[in-house]
Amino acid sequence: ESLDDRLVGGLILAPVNDEEIRMMQVAVDTKYQGEGVGRDLVHYAEKRAKEAGYSRLVMHAMLSVVNFYERLGYRQEGEIFEDKGITFARMVKDL
């Protein structure tokens, strides 16, 4: 079935400073996970961020998705931390 007119995922990009932009609230409908939607979303966000002049993308990734982002070229930076009972890793990628 076509995904053309369907919302299956999304994310938010929020500037941190002139160099860094933060990726937040990355989500893909569970029905479509594992089909490359998240990967395509992240690649698109990186392209847009780079076109807008940012040189680094940063995020706080839940531990359960750290491997996903590492496969896309992100690396952990600093200590793992907890917020509201959820454990996160700060991840970065130079664009």
Side-chain angles (χ1 to χ4, degrees), residues 16 20-23 56-60 90-92:
V16 177
E20 288 186 352
I21 192 163
R22 183 169 169 201
M23 187 161 52
R56 214 163 119 93
L57 216 148
V58 300
M59 80 176 83
H60 295 157
R90 176 178 161 86
M91 302 198 75
V92 301

Side-chain angles (χ1 to χ4, degrees), residues 59-77 80-81 87-92:
M59 80 176 83
H60 295 157
M62 290 187 298
L63 286 192
S64 58
V65 293
V66 163
N67 289 343
F68 168 79
Y69 289 109
E70 285 179 338
R71 287 195 303 273
L72 295 178
Y74 289 80
R75 66 185 186 279
Q76 287 188 52
E77 185 176 84
I80 284 168
F81 65 96
T87 309
F88 292 92
R90 176 178 161 86
M91 302 198 75
V92 301

Side-chain angles (χ1 to χ4, degrees), residues 27-61:
V28 174
D29 187 325
T30 49
K31 194 168 146 192
Y32 300 101
Q33 287 177 5
E35 296 182 15
V37 175
R39 181 195 61 223
D40 290 349
L41 261 177
V42 171
H43 284 158
Y44 181 73
E46 291 169 356
K47 180 173 168 273
R48 290 301 303 263
K50 194 171 183 173
E51 285 169 356
Y54 294 95
S55 57
R56 214 163 119 93
L57 216 148
V58 300
M59 80 176 83
H60 295 157

